[in-house]
Amino acid sequence: MSPALLSTGAPEAATDRTVVGEHLSLPLFHTLSGVLAGHPYVKVVVDRAEGDWHVLDAAAHPFHVNYIATRVLGMELAELDAGLDAFNASVYADPDRRFLLGVLSLHSGEDADGRERPFLVLETTEADTMHGALLEFFHGFVRDRVDARLPLLLKPANHVQEEELAAVSEQSVPRVLGHELFGTRTRTALNTGEAVGRLRRYATVEEYEAAAGGLGWSDIVAMPCLPDDVQRVAGFVNTAPITPLSHTNVLASGWGIPNAIVQDLDQLAERHGLDGAWVRYRVREDDITLERLDEDPGLRAPAWHQQRIRLEPPLLEDAPVLSLHRLRTADRDRYGTKAANLGELHHVLDSRTADLTAFYGRPRPPRENLRPHLAARLGLATPSAAELRAAASSFVAGTVEAPEGVALPFSLQHRFLTSSPALQQGIGKLKMALELDALDVLDALCLQLQHLIRHAPMPDSVAGEITRALPDQLAAGERLVVRSSSNAEDLPGFSAAGVYDSVTTVRGTDELLDAVRQVWASLVSPRSVRLRHQVGISLDDTYMGVIVQEYVPAALGGVLVTCNPTRREDFRNVYLNCSPGSPEQVVEGTVLPQQYLYNTVEGGGRTVALGSWPEGLSAGTRAQLADLSLTGRLLQSHFGAPEVDAPLDIEWLLTDQGDFRLVQIRPYAL
C-alpha cells in the first residue's frame, strides 16, 4: 500500500481536519483516514527539527510534499513545482533529513486464539532510502503517539530498507514484509475494466472444456485457474492466486477485458445468487465488485466482436534461412514478428546507435523530463544528450545479450504446404468452412489438418535448407529450442500469447524436422483459427516463421513487462516475475513465480510475492534484476517508438554464468 511518489497541483478540500502534535486514537484515525486497497490509512509527517508530527486529513492533503511545502515551509506551489525533484530528494534521500514521511494503515489479523485483532502498519514511499537508524527513530516516534493497545509494525518499502533493517532488532522494530501483509489478500486486481455478462463458474478444467463450446462474448468465466487456451469472452475471474504476467492475464490485457483474483467468489455467488446470473463486473485497482442484475440487460456485441485486424501481406518468395543477428524489424513480413524483433535486438546491442533515452525525455508534469533521473541511475552528473545516449547504449549492451540462432522464412512453410495435394485439400476445406461460418465443423477440420501437417513428408529441398543452417549443432546432438514466429501475433488489438507452439527439447535432425512441423501445425489449431476468425484475419494471409536456438541452461528465468500491469498510470515501475530454471515455468503457469517491482526513475525495488518459493532472492541477484529492469525500460524507447510509453513484454533468463539473455521481446498490450 505504498503511496505514490508525490506530484503537485491537487486542490485541497474546503474542510481540513489535519492535526499537529496530538495523540492518535482510533476515533481520530477514522475521522482523518481515507481508504486504499480496502484499508483505512492516514498520511503522517514527522518534523525532527520541531520534535512534532502532523497527521494529515486524507481528503484535504493527497500529497505529503504539498503539505510540507505550503503549510510548514510557506512555499508557493509554483516554487515547489520548479524544484520538485530536488525537494523530493531532500525528504526521501537525504540521510540527515528534517522530515520523515509515511503512511499509517489499519489492518486486521487473527491472534493465537483465532480472535480478530486490529494492528497498525507504518511505511514510507517506495523510493525512500531511510537508513536503519532513521527507520528505528521513525517507528519509535510514531509508536509513542498512537493507541498503545494496537501493535505497530514497520513495513519496509523497498529492498534497501529491508537490508538496513536486518541490523535492527525485531524487538526494537517489529516488522512485516509486503508479501507477508498482502500475500493472502482475498481480492486482487489483475487487469482493470468493466463488463456486463452472465457469470459462468467451473470447478475444474474438465468442466470448463465440456461447456466451452457454448460460451460466447457475453459470458464471464470464473474458475480456480483459467486454462491458457481460454476463448475470448467478456471477463475472467480467478478463484485461486495467479500472477499478473500469466498468459491468461496477458490475453485479458490484450483483449481489454477485466480480470481479477476473487478467492471468496464461492461465498459471494451463494450469498447473492450469482451463478448463471447477469452481473456487472468491475475491476479497479483497489476495488473489485460483482453486482447481480435483475434482468437481461439486452447487450449488444462488444466492439471487438466486429473488430477487423489487417495484416501486412506476407512475402512468400524464396528467402534464405538467416542468422537472427542479420534480421531487422522490417523482416517481419518474411520471418515473423518474433524473429524480426530478436534481430532488431541484436542490431541495438551491436551497433549502439539507437536512442534508448526517449522515454526519459517525455514531459512528466511538473517535470520537464526525467533525464536527470536516468543520468543518476547511470552514474553521471550533468551529461550532454549525446553522452546520456551513449551511456544508455553501453549500459544495455553490458547487461543483456540477444540469443544466437536462425530464422526460417515463411517461404519454407509455403513450399511445404504446396508440396502435398492432401495438405492443399485440407486447407481448402478449412477455408470453405470459415467462409461459410460453419463453426460446428471447424474444430474437426483443424485437427485433421494439424495431423496431416505433422505427418506429411517434408520435401528434401526444404529439409536440406533447415539442416544445413545448423550442421555443427545437429552433428554434436546439442539440445535445441524451436519457437514460433508468426505474422499473426503481437499485433495492435490482437494478442496471441500462448497460442502457438514452441518445442524446447529437440536433439538431432529427425526431432528438429518434427518440431518445425509441429510449430507450423500450431498455426491451424482450433483455438488459433477461431481467434483469428473473430477479428477477420484471413487464413490466406497467415504464415509461420520458425526460430531455432541453442538451448541455454538457466539459473533463473522469467518475464518482465515495462509497466505496472495493475496501475496503468504508474510510469516509474516495471513488473518482473521469475523462478529458478527456464522462463517456460512462469509462462506456462506450472509454478507461482516470485514477483518484484522495480522503480526505473528514482531507483529501488520491492518484493510483491514469493510465489511457490520459501524465500526471496539474494541481495546480489535482486541488484542484477534492477539492472535488467532498467534495461527493459531503455529498450522500450526503441521498440515502442514512436509511442515511447508503449510497454514491452520480455522473456529472459539468467545463465549459469551469470549473464542475462533475452529470448523474446514484444509489445505488451495495455
Side-chain angles (χ1 to χ4, degrees):
M1 203 182 67
S2 294
L5 275 177
L6 305 175
S7 60
T8 63
E12 295 182 355
T15 301
D16 182 357
R17 294 164 292 189
T18 292
V19 299
V20 180
E22 292 189 26
H23 185 273
L24 187 64
S25 64
L26 269 182
L28 180 56
F29 177 94
H30 286 294
T31 298
L32 299 171
S33 68
V35 177
L36 185 62
H39 299 283
Y41 77 97
V42 293
K43 292 181 173 66
V44 298
V45 175
V46 171
D47 186 341
R48 297 172 70 204
E50 298 295 331
D52 218 338
W53 78 325
H54 305 244
V55 184
L56 278 54
D57 181 352
H61 300 290
F63 304 118
H64 290 85
V65 292
N66 282 22
Y67 176 84
I68 295 170
T70 60
R71 294 299 183 89
V72 181
L73 301 178
M75 297 170 61
E76 296 291 335
L77 282 180
E79 181 185 357
L80 175 62
D81 284 353
L84 182 60
D85 287 328
F87 193 92
N88 274 339
S90 75
V91 295
Y92 293 124
D94 186 342
D96 195 32
R97 67 194 73 168
R98 171 181 172 180
F99 299 105
L100 306 181
L101 283 57
V103 167
L104 193 61
S105 55
L106 182 64
H107 299 256
S108 181
E110 290 186 355
D111 62 17
D113 297 323
R115 292 173 299 189
E116 185 175 359
R117 186 182 185 189
F119 62 95
L120 293 168
V121 173
L122 177 66
E123 64 180 301
T124 72
T125 190
E126 63 191 25
D128 197 301
T129 60
M130 277 192 204
H131 52 73
L134 270 185
L135 289 167
E136 188 172 9
F137 173 85
F138 191 30
H139 175 269
F141 192 100
V142 175
R143 169 72 281 174
D144 292 341
R145 289 161 177 79
V146 298
D147 193 325
R149 295 170 298 176
L150 298 178
L152 175 64
L153 306 181
L154 181 69
K155 182 169 85 67
N158 50 52
H159 294 144
V160 171
Q161 289 187 2
E162 287 181 29
E163 291 158 19
E164 287 287 327
L165 278 175
V168 179
S169 164
E170 289 206 34
Q171 289 185 330
S172 174
V173 182
R175 68 207 62 168
V176 62
L177 299 180
H179 63 269
E180 296 170 337
L181 186 62
F182 298 119
T184 57
R185 183 181 289 170
T186 301
R187 302 179 193 175
T188 304
L190 296 172
N191 194 58
T192 56
E194 180 176 330
V196 172
R198 197 180 290 275
L199 184 66
R200 307 291 192 183
R201 280 199 304 158
Y202 305 104
T204 65
V205 172
E206 290 74 21
E207 280 188 20
Y208 164 79
E209 289 175 344
L215 294 174
W217 56 264
S218 61
D219 291 306
I220 296 170
V221 175
M223 55 192 299
C225 185
L226 286 93
D228 281 350
D229 62 354
V230 64
Q231 66 188 69
R232 194 168 188 172
V233 289
F236 297 155
V237 185
N238 300 268
T239 58
I242 67 164
T243 164
L245 301 189
S246 66
H247 262 153
T248 51
N249 198 50
V250 172
L251 292 173
S253 179
W255 293 340
I257 63 175
N259 186 24
I261 300 169
V262 184
Q263 297 192 68
D264 60 343
L265 181 65
D266 290 345
Q267 299 94 298
L268 290 175
E270 291 177 12
R271 187 182 311 140
H272 301 292
L274 301 180
D275 232 358
W278 290 99
V279 299
R280 187 180 308 280
Y281 177 35
R282 291 190 178 98
V283 177
R284 301 185 181 92
E285 291 172 9
D286 57 359
D287 186 36
I288 299 162
T289 58
L290 283 155
E291 173 194 1
R292 176 170 177 155
L293 304 177
D294 292 332
E295 58 185 20
D296 184 336
L299 297 176
R300 291 188 298 175
W304 66 259
H305 200 258
Q306 290 84 30
Q307 183 182 20
R308 291 297 176 263
I309 302 294
R310 298 183 63 85
L311 295 184
E312 297 177 11
L315 300 181
L316 303 178
E317 64 268 19
D318 282 346
V321 177
L322 289 180
S323 296
L324 288 173
H325 71 265
R326 296 181 60 187
L327 300 182
R328 296 292 302 275
T329 300
D331 292 311
R332 60 183 176 268
D333 52 6
R334 289 182 175 85
Y335 296 87
T337 308
K338 195 178 298 182
N341 283 346
L342 288 178
E344 187 70 18
L345 177 62
H346 273 281
H347 170 75
V348 168
L349 299 180
D350 294 342
S351 71
R352 305 194 186 187
T353 57
D355 180 7
L356 304 182
T357 68
F359 174 88
Y360 291 87
R362 178 70 59 88
R364 312 285 174 180
R367 302 164 181 84
E368 182 179 348
N369 58 65
L370 299 176
R371 290 193 184 100
H373 289 282
L374 176 58
R377 299 280 73 74
L378 298 176
L380 304 175
T382 54
S384 67
E387 289 170 336
L388 188 63
R389 287 196 297 269
S393 293
S394 295
F395 178 84
V396 169
T399 303
V400 300
E401 299 175 3
E404 298 298 331
V406 299
L408 312 186
F410 297 159
S411 58
L412 289 183
Q413 184 201 23
H414 180 66
R415 283 161 55 190
F416 168 74
L417 294 176
T418 56
S419 70
S420 164
L423 288 174
Q424 288 297 293
Q425 185 179 31
I427 293 170
K429 289 180 180 179
L430 181 56
K431 287 168 59 176
M432 181 64 70
L434 291 169
E435 290 171 6
L436 297 176
D437 221 22
L439 303 183
D440 55 331
V441 299
L442 193 66
D443 288 7
L445 291 174
C446 288
L447 292 173
Q448 290 171 10
L449 182 54
Q450 281 193 287
H451 180 82
L452 285 172
I453 292 173
R454 287 181 180 134
H455 295 90
M458 191 177 290
D460 290 342
S461 62
V462 174
E465 288 193 41
I466 296 172
T467 57
R468 283 194 297 273
L470 300 154
D472 296 337
Q473 295 90 334
L474 293 173
E478 293 181 7
R479 181 175 170 181
L480 302 172
V481 177
V482 179
R483 299 181 180 275
S484 61
S485 181
S486 170
N487 65 334
E489 58 185 321
D490 305 335
L491 304 174
F494 183 73
S495 173
V499 172
Y500 305 120
D501 285 356
S502 292
V503 187
T504 61
T505 55
V506 176
R507 295 182 188 274
T509 299
D510 291 342
E511 288 188 11
L512 172 60
L513 298 180
D514 286 344
V516 170
R517 278 188 290 244
Q518 180 177 333
V519 172
W520 284 342
S522 68
L523 194 67
V524 291
S525 69
R527 183 187 184 215
S528 68
V529 170
R530 283 180 178 273
L531 287 174
R532 293 195 304 269
H533 182 63
Q534 286 175 346
V535 297
I537 296 177
S538 168
L539 189 62
D540 284 334
D541 291 336
T542 310
Y543 275 84
M544 180 66 77
V546 179
I547 300 169
V548 185
Q549 299 166 275
E550 297 179 23
Y551 172 78
V552 177
L556 194 69
V559 180
L560 165 71
V561 294
T562 60
C563 65
N564 182 346
T566 60
R567 287 189 59 211
R568 300 183 183 187
E569 75 281 5
D570 179 2
F571 62 83
R572 289 178 164 83
N573 288 290
V574 303
Y575 205 100
L576 184 145
N577 278 4
C578 62
S579 67
S582 72
E584 279 76 14
Q585 292 184 94
V586 175
V587 174
E588 295 169 2
T590 56
V591 297
L592 280 176
Q594 296 188 18
Q595 303 172 44
Y596 297 91
L597 276 172
Y598 284 96
N599 185 324
T600 60
V601 178
E602 290 84 6
R606 54 193 171 99
T607 303
V608 177
L610 293 183
S612 302
W613 314 102
E615 58 185 22
L617 301 170
S618 69
T621 301
R622 293 198 308 245
Q624 286 183 279
L625 294 182
D627 287 347
L628 175 66
S629 299
L630 180 56
T631 292
R633 177 70 84 200
L634 292 169
L635 289 172
Q636 178 180 325
S637 292
H638 180 72
F639 285 91
E643 180 45 66
V644 296
D645 279 348
L648 300 179
D649 175 344
I650 299 171
E651 287 185 31
W652 58 271
L653 56 85
L654 182 64
T655 70
D656 293 338
Q657 288 72 44
D659 302 317
F660 282 115
R661 191 160 300 184
L662 307 189
V663 296
Q664 181 169 314
I665 185 166
R666 62 185 176 186
Y668 179 77
L670 279 179

